[in-house]
Amino acid sequence: MNLRQLGSTGPRVSALGLGAMGMSGMYGPSDEAESVATIHAAMDAGVTLVDTGDFYGMGHNELLIRDALRSSGRARDEVAVSVKFGALRDVDGGFWGNDARPAAVKNFLAYSLRRLGTDYIDIYRPARLDPAVPIEETVGAIAEMIQAGHVRHIGLSEVGAETLRRANAVHPIVDLQIEYSLISRGIEAEILPTARELGIGITAYGVLSRGLISGHWSADRPLAAGDFRGASPRFSADNLGANLALVEALRVIAEAKGVSVAQTAIAWVLAQGEDIVPLVGARTRVRLEEALGALDLKLDAADLRAVEAAMPAEAAAGDRYIAAQMAHLDSEK
């Protein structure tokens, strides 16, 4: 497994990370035994970065990772655990804003440490910017937890360039977790250059746009109850056909190279810079194995031009999230 540095001050981690969100109901029901087996397979393949959120399944995801780490027999320091916090949810699974007050930071952290069964978190980050709390206060509170030994590094998620600068002035930020894929390239104009100027890495989620550009999606695929893609604009009846047409154009390139669409899309993100670590949301060992195959796919300049011509920037139909969730993205303002 190749390693990449998370920013100028962060840890060296595997070139691909595992995003565990889908293992806790966000895409509908999942198989817990298969989820644990997939985490084990990822670690066996050399994946050393696992990403979660304390609100994924209302703590279920952290408990799942705890069980997987314990049953793997591996030492705690063999895996870097990244945790997002702050999203507020109700008993029906709805989202009701974000809380990143210093007191809330320490409260959320205490619960995460207990659920994960560990005494420190490698990278701790607010899931979204809390508009009621200056980012300096949130970062300052996490920095106090670093001093206390409960956190190793500070990350951010879905913030814009100005917020990134303000946060980094308080304490070094090792990475920005943000959506980045062939059809979500908004970070290229300002956010990515700013991160590089400041020595901040990128952990890219949504590299397959939640399965939309994996090559495995179809217009007639049913969605399970609780699958949030049912409300996603890019999966809506009005937009899905146009987006799948982009996938078919990409499939022509992938098949010519003897690889899958998903591997091509992941390899494109990998090729955008050594400071970018894609997070793959594989829920099964089969999908994990496919994703790992992207590490062996080297796209040269001609390949990259062909891929980007097949799926041009700004070509996606529909926003990344529904309007209410887009409003919480500092990165989109």
Side-chain angles (χ1 to χ4, degrees), residues 120-316:
Y120 71 91
I121 289 171
D122 296 273
I123 309 164
Y124 201 51
R125 71 185 80 241
R128 297 289 185 267
L129 181 68
D130 183 344
V133 180
I135 190 64
E136 292 85 352
E137 293 184 13
T138 303
V139 170
I142 304 175
E144 289 180 16
M145 295 298 92
I146 290 178
Q147 291 297 317
H150 303 311
V151 173
R152 294 284 172 85
H153 304 282
I154 302 177
L156 292 175
S157 177
E158 288 288 358
V159 302
E162 179 186 354
T163 302
L164 205 55
R165 289 186 187 279
R166 288 170 52 196
N168 198 63
V170 175
H171 189 280
I173 305 299
V174 298
D175 73 320
L176 171 64
Q177 189 174 118
I178 195 164
E179 187 166 355
Y180 188 40
S181 72
L182 274 165
I183 62 171
S184 295
R185 295 175 61 180
I187 73 170
E188 293 176 346
E190 184 179 13
I191 295 173
L192 181 56
T194 300
R196 285 174 167 163
E197 174 194 337
L198 298 174
I200 297 171
I202 298 290
T203 41
Y205 76 88
V207 293
L208 296 179
S209 196
R210 300 160 185 84
L212 179 61
I213 63 171
S214 67
H216 302 298
W217 204 268
S218 62
D220 59 353
R221 177 171 170 172
L223 288 169
D227 190 328
F228 87 99
R229 290 173 292 196
S232 171
R234 290 184 176 173
F235 287 84
S236 73
D238 292 339
N239 297 323
L240 184 58
N243 291 328
L244 290 180
L246 297 172
V247 176
E248 291 311 305
L250 186 61
R251 192 186 305 276
V252 173
I253 297 169
E255 290 182 348
K257 295 189 72 65
V259 296
S260 73
V261 174
Q263 288 168 340
T264 305
I266 296 168
W268 180 87
V269 178
L270 283 163
Q272 300 312 300
E274 289 289 321
D275 54 348
I276 298 174
V277 175
L279 298 171
V280 295
R283 297 195 292 168
T284 66
R285 285 167 286 182
V286 170
R287 290 289 179 254
L288 173 68
E289 183 178 5
E290 179 185 24
L292 291 170
L295 293 167
D296 298 321
L297 175 56
K298 306 304 178 185
L299 300 176
D300 61 24
D303 293 329
L304 293 171
R305 287 193 297 270
V307 166
E308 291 167 10
M311 195 169 282
E314 310 300 331

Side-chain angles (χ1 to χ4, degrees), residues 14-60:
S14 52
L16 281 182
L18 179 66
M21 182 187 78
M23 298 176 178
S24 293
M26 297 297 286
Y27 296 141
S30 58
D31 184 308
E32 193 161 304
E34 179 62 23
S35 295
V36 170
T38 301
I39 296 171
H40 286 171
M43 291 188 291
D44 290 344
V47 173
T48 64
L49 176 63
V50 178
D51 179 76
T52 184
D54 63 9
F55 50 93
Y56 293 166
M58 286 73 160
H60 172 269

